[in-house]
Amino acid sequence: MRLSRNFWILLLLTILTIFVNLGSMPLLDPDEPVYAETPKEMFLFNDFISPQIYGQYWYDKPPMYYWLVAGAFKLFGVNEFAARFPSALLAVICVVVVYMSVSKLVSERAGIASGLVLATSIEYFYLGKAAVTDITLTLFLTVSLLCFLQKKYYLFYIFSGLATLTKGPIGFLFPGAIIFIWMAFTRRFNDLKHMKIPVGIILWAIVALPWYGVMYQVHGSDFTNGFIGVNNITRFTTAEHDKTSGWYFFIPVLIFGFFPWTALMFQSIKASLKIKGTERHALLLFLNVWAAFIFLFFSISSTKLVTYILPVYPPLAILVGWYLDQCMEKYRFLAEGLVWPIFLTLLSVLLLGGLVAGSNLIPDITLGAIGLAVVLILMILTVWYFLYNKEVKRAFWVQAIAMTITSIILVTVLLPPIENNFSTRSIAQAFVANYDGKSPVYVIKFLHPGFAFYTNKYGKEINSTEEIRNVISQSGQVYLVIRKSEYQGLSGSEQDSLAVLSQSNDKLLLFKQ
């Protein structure tokens, strides 16, 4: 496949969006340090099979991302860049895969549009810069389903296996359910005869099952109860966070996470569902089923996190890319032509309002907020101008380049002044400087992963103000690492018994004689 000049522009913009200042910020609590501390302990205990944290086995996730980070630590040392490098690299690869697949399935121009829509969506490039598992899962699910569409069935099973090795049963349940629903809609169950299912199951099992088998052999019911019971079934049926348990939670997440392309998302879906009676109809329906199933699955789930719906972004990006391709070909295809700029303007105004409110509360971000505001305003005005002149292609490129600039401003100007608000690194450094080397250390759960990563000491985890009181009531010297909210929950006499050795924003290093 010959790579065009536009592909190299796509690749450059994607790399800039994802990789700029990748290692400059500390790991953000609480998730990033978890996915950095566990691979660090793999080296410490020379055990790359059984994930551990704080020296104890834990069964939260399969090992794929830990293995990738361990490899990055080997290459780049134990640091923030290495912890995030696998996500960043796989995020770029996912964009390239989308481009290449859509170029074959639709057109090269649609491939470019789809890739750039994906790369410059806020949630996608944010998680592409984060040391978490979601980009890895998204890549493997995306490759698996795109391989199915291209009838590359062996690769379909292999990448489904890799997804299973990244985040568990959804690695095979999602592709299986999406394909089944699509076949039911299109009455294509005869395609099952061509999917090489017996060999495919063997391929999937070779990739996915050995680790599970070894873990069960070594840890028995502790593993099955912890991984399948707590981290899959219980999380689906019981809310871990009451504030995010509502069925509507992912609606605003998607609207702002897919910004600025949300302005085209609903039009793209509507237009795609109107295509009837062609092979293109089957493709577009598959993309809609793919996105809708994942969105509804996690909306039904009791436990909800912002990151969960990342796998809906590739099919939505492809739908928008297809739609933009049609609009570039025939402007009249841009039905309800003012919806795009109007919706873009409304969403941008809401974001601008958030920037104003944020800079009033935290003056340190004012410079970054001004930079982002200028970019957003210029993007809005330019998109209006080009669409008024029926130049869809230029409006598209303006949005893509503006979001690339936005991503750079975020990590170079806006976030650095407030990075300590979201990380334990600073208070951990203060602990290392003050620690007497022998007294016990107690760390509140939220800060524990970052504390362990940055100090190479585990400490003892505490989960509530009541537990902090119990520690204070004991005789002997102790150190505590807690947040201001927990400290303020203590009585005056309890506070008087503690010396504040260091404070970093809302995090405190305390010492009890």
Side-chain angles (χ1 to χ4, degrees):
M1 179 180 179
R2 183 182 176 185
L3 299 175
S4 67
R5 182 186 66 176
N6 283 339
F7 166 76
W8 297 110
I9 297 173
L10 162 69
L11 185 61
L12 174 63
L13 293 178
T14 303
I15 290 172
L16 288 173
T17 301
I18 302 295
F19 270 93
V20 167
N21 269 24
L22 186 66
S24 64
M25 291 184 59
L27 299 177
L28 305 183
D29 297 322
D31 294 329
E32 282 197 296
V34 168
Y35 295 106
E37 175 62 21
T38 298
K40 194 177 76 172
E41 294 188 27
M42 284 181 164
F43 285 108
L44 179 65
F45 297 106
N46 195 31
D47 184 351
F48 293 87
I49 298 298
S50 303
Q52 298 183 59
I53 193 164
Y54 321 132
Q56 300 178 343
Y57 295 121
W58 78 310
Y59 313 114
D60 187 69
K61 297 287 188 302
M64 176 59 72
Y65 193 74
Y66 307 138
W67 289 343
L68 294 172
V69 174
F73 282 167
K74 193 74 173 177
L75 288 174
F76 305 115
V78 179
N79 54 55
E80 292 90 347
F81 176 85
R84 293 173 176 139
F85 178 77
S87 271
L89 179 62
L90 297 183
V92 173
I93 291 172
C94 190
V95 170
V96 172
V97 166
V98 165
Y99 158 78
M100 297 183 73
S101 298
V102 177
S103 294
K104 292 177 181 177
L105 293 167
V106 183
S107 72
E108 204 263 349
R109 185 169 58 192
I112 293 291
S114 300
L116 276 174
V117 168
L118 182 61
T120 57
S121 300
I122 286 181
E123 186 170 2
Y124 187 84
F125 71 67
Y126 167 73
L127 292 177
K129 293 173 174 289
V132 292
T133 60
D134 300 274
I135 284 286
T136 309
L137 174 68
T138 297
L139 170 67
F140 293 148
L141 286 177
T142 300
V143 175
S144 178
L145 290 165
L146 290 176
C147 285
F148 168 79
L149 286 173
Q150 297 171 77
K151 297 181 171 54
K152 299 176 180 178
Y153 296 121
Y154 292 143
L155 289 175
F156 162 74
Y157 294 110
I158 289 170
F159 279 93
S160 175
L162 291 172
T164 307
L165 201 52
T166 300
K167 221 164 185 179
I170 63 174
F172 64 87
L173 290 176
F174 278 13
I178 289 164
I179 290 169
F180 178 85
I181 294 168
W182 174 75
M183 286 183 170
F185 277 131
T186 57
R187 300 179 182 179
R188 290 194 173 204
F189 286 112
N190 284 336
D191 289 359
L192 291 171
K193 296 185 294 186
H194 308 295
M195 287 183 61
K196 304 176 174 62
I197 291 176
V199 176
I201 292 174
I202 293 171
L203 284 173
W204 174 84
I206 290 172
V207 173
L209 294 187
W211 177 80
Y212 289 91
V214 172
M215 286 292 288
Y216 180 73
Q217 185 176 19
V218 173
H219 302 285
S221 60
D222 287 345
F223 168 65
T224 53
N225 293 338
F227 179 71
I228 300 297
V230 174
N231 291 298
N232 284 273
I233 297 173
T234 301
R235 282 186 176 179
F236 186 81
T237 58
T238 305
E240 287 190 356
H241 315 281
D242 291 337
K243 292 181 179 179
T244 64
S245 61
W247 62 268
Y248 51 82
F249 173 75
F250 286 117
I251 295 174
V253 170
L254 180 60
I255 287 173
F256 286 100
F258 200 51
F259 180 87
W261 307 105
T262 324
L264 280 162
M265 180 179 70
F266 297 109
Q267 285 179 282
S268 302
I269 293 171
K270 181 179 177 181
S272 69
L273 294 174
K274 288 183 177 180
I275 303 296
K276 301 293 183 182
T278 66
E279 198 61 29
R280 185 61 48 82
H281 161 72
L283 168 63
L284 297 173
L285 182 60
F286 186 89
L287 296 169
N288 278 287
V289 170
W290 176 354
F293 176 82
I294 295 174
F295 184 84
L296 292 173
F297 177 90
F298 286 118
S299 294
I300 293 169
S301 173
S302 296
T303 297
K304 297 177 176 68
L305 294 175
V306 169
T307 60
Y308 281 2
I309 62 163
L310 187 70
V312 308
Y313 286 71
L316 290 177
I318 297 171
L319 284 169
V320 174
W322 162 81
Y323 183 65
L324 282 165
D325 179 49
Q326 299 302 302
C327 295
M328 292 177 199
E329 184 72 27
K330 299 176 181 177
Y331 178 79
R332 69 174 185 272
F333 198 84
L334 187 61
E336 303 161 352
L338 290 180
V339 171
W340 174 0
I342 289 174
F343 203 11
L344 176 66
T345 303
L346 291 174
L347 290 175
S348 298
V349 166
L350 290 174
L351 289 175
L352 289 168
L355 290 172
V356 171
S359 59
N360 287 335
L361 290 172
I362 311 172
D364 289 343
I365 70 169
T366 300
L367 180 61
I370 292 171
L372 287 179
V374 169
V375 173
L376 288 175
I377 291 169
L378 289 175
M379 178 178 72
I380 295 166
L381 294 174
T382 311
V383 167
W384 272 101
Y385 173 79
F386 283 132
L387 290 179
Y388 177 79
N389 289 286
K390 300 183 180 181
E391 297 183 74
V392 175
K393 184 176 181 180
R394 291 187 176 183
F396 157 72
W397 279 101
V398 162
Q399 281 197 186
I401 293 171
M403 291 308 296
T404 301
I405 297 170
T406 294
S407 72
I408 294 171
I409 293 174
L410 277 171
V411 296
T412 59
V413 184
L414 184 75
L415 293 179
I418 57 172
E419 61 187 20
N420 287 331
N421 291 20
F422 309 104
S423 173
T424 311
R425 184 173 67 180
S426 180
I427 205 72
Q429 291 169 341
F431 169 81
V432 171
N434 285 276
Y435 186 49
D436 63 13
K438 58 183 180 181
S439 298
V441 186
Y442 293 86
V443 187
I444 200 72
K445 182 178 181 180
F446 187 85
L447 306 178
H448 201 184
F451 178 85
F453 180 80
Y454 284 113
T455 65
N456 295 316
K457 295 186 180 299
Y458 300 146
K460 298 178 182 179
E461 186 170 288
I462 46 180
N463 295 288
S464 65
T465 302
E466 188 61 35
E467 290 186 29
I468 296 172
R469 289 196 176 100
N470 291 337
V471 170
I472 295 172
S473 67
Q474 298 171 11
S475 60
Q477 299 181 158
V478 297
Y479 292 82
L480 293 110
V481 179
I482 63 176
R483 293 169 296 184
K484 187 181 290 185
S485 58
E486 285 99 21
Y487 180 75
Q488 291 172 340
L490 301 173
S491 68
S493 60
E494 289 168 333
Q495 291 180 6
D496 291 340
S497 69
L498 301 170
V500 179
L501 300 181
S502 182
Q503 180 173 352
S504 175
N505 300 101
D506 69 330
K507 292 168 278 291
L508 299 170
L509 171 63
L510 306 173
F511 179 66
K512 172 187 170 291
Q513 287 281 8

Coordinates of all heavy atoms in Angstrom, one line a residue, residues 30 81 122 207 343:
P30 N -5.2 8.2 41.3 CA -4.5 7.1 41.9 C -4.1 6.0 40.8 O -3.3 5.1 41.1 CB -5.5 6.5 42.8 CG -6.8 6.7 42.1 CD -6.7 8.0 41.3
F81 N 8.1 8.7 31.8 CA 8.0 8.5 30.3 C 7.8 7.0 30.0 O 7.0 6.6 29.2 CB 9.3 9.0 29.7 CG 9.3 8.7 28.2 CD1 8.7 9.6 27.3 CD2 10.0 7.6 27.7 CE1 8.7 9.3 25.9 CE2 10.0 7.4 26.3 CZ 9.4 8.2 25.4
I122 N -10.5 14.6 22.5 CA -9.9 14.9 23.8 C -9.7 13.6 24.6 O -8.5 13.5 25.1 CB -10.8 15.9 24.6 CG1 -10.7 17.3 24.0 CG2 -10.4 15.9 26.0 CD1 -11.6 18.3 24.7
V207 N -3.2 -17.9 22.7 CA -2.8 -16.5 23.1 C -3.3 -16.2 24.5 O -2.5 -15.6 25.4 CB -3.3 -15.5 22.1 CG1 -3.0 -14.0 22.6 CG2 -2.7 -15.7 20.7
F343 N -23.1 23.5 16.7 CA -22.8 22.5 17.8 C -21.4 22.7 18.3 O -21.1 22.7 19.5 CB -23.1 21.1 17.4 CG -23.3 20.1 18.6 CD1 -23.6 20.6 19.8 CD2 -23.3 18.8 18.3 CE1 -23.8 19.7 20.9 CE2 -23.6 17.9 19.4 CZ -23.8 18.4 20.7

